[in-house]
Amino acid sequence: MWYTIVAEDMPNSLEKRMQARVEHLARLAALQDAGRLMLAGPFPAIDSNDPGPAGFTGSLIVAAFNNLNEAKAWSDADPYVNAGVYNQVIVKPFRKTLP
């Protein structure tokens, strides 16, 4: 089943985000390689694909897991969680309807 992982960044966390980015992306690449990643990306803090020093306000990941507990465990082990980038993370089941 698909699950959404919606994370909200801590204020002023851009430096921490950049330090943990390589590890964070490696985990997402592993999901993609396994055919389990629908989409992933950050929320820019301003209306721009490249927000520069304004940074990001959070992230969205939609990926397949066996159950909600597995999705939460995967999310809890994210390098951004460990680095203190995320203030809050919400994991919910997701049913894709369109397209």
Side-chain angles (χ1 to χ4, degrees):
M1 179 169 195
W2 295 110
Y3 293 86
T4 61
I5 300 169
V6 181
E8 177 184 294
D9 282 16
M10 296 285 268
N12 304 310
S13 60
L14 181 59
E15 185 176 326
K16 291 178 182 178
R17 178 181 269 273
M18 298 314 294
Q19 290 173 353
R21 186 170 188 264
V22 171
E23 292 176 67
H24 172 78
L25 292 178
R27 293 181 82 235
L28 291 171
L31 283 179
Q32 184 175 16
D33 291 347
R36 296 173 46 203
L37 183 65
M38 182 186 297
L39 63 90
F43 300 117
I46 60 174
D47 192 10
S48 173
N49 282 329
D50 182 5
F56 301 92
T57 62
S59 301
L60 170 66
I61 299 166
V62 181
F65 295 94
N66 291 319
N67 54 58
L68 182 58
N69 288 336
E70 184 182 300
K72 286 182 178 181
W74 188 91
S75 175
D76 288 346
D78 192 290
Y80 283 175
V81 170
N82 297 330
V85 173
Y86 292 154
N87 178 45
Q88 176 181 343
V89 179
I90 298 171
V91 182
K92 292 183 178 185
F94 177 75
R95 190 188 86 188
K96 182 180 177 187
T97 301
L98 294 171

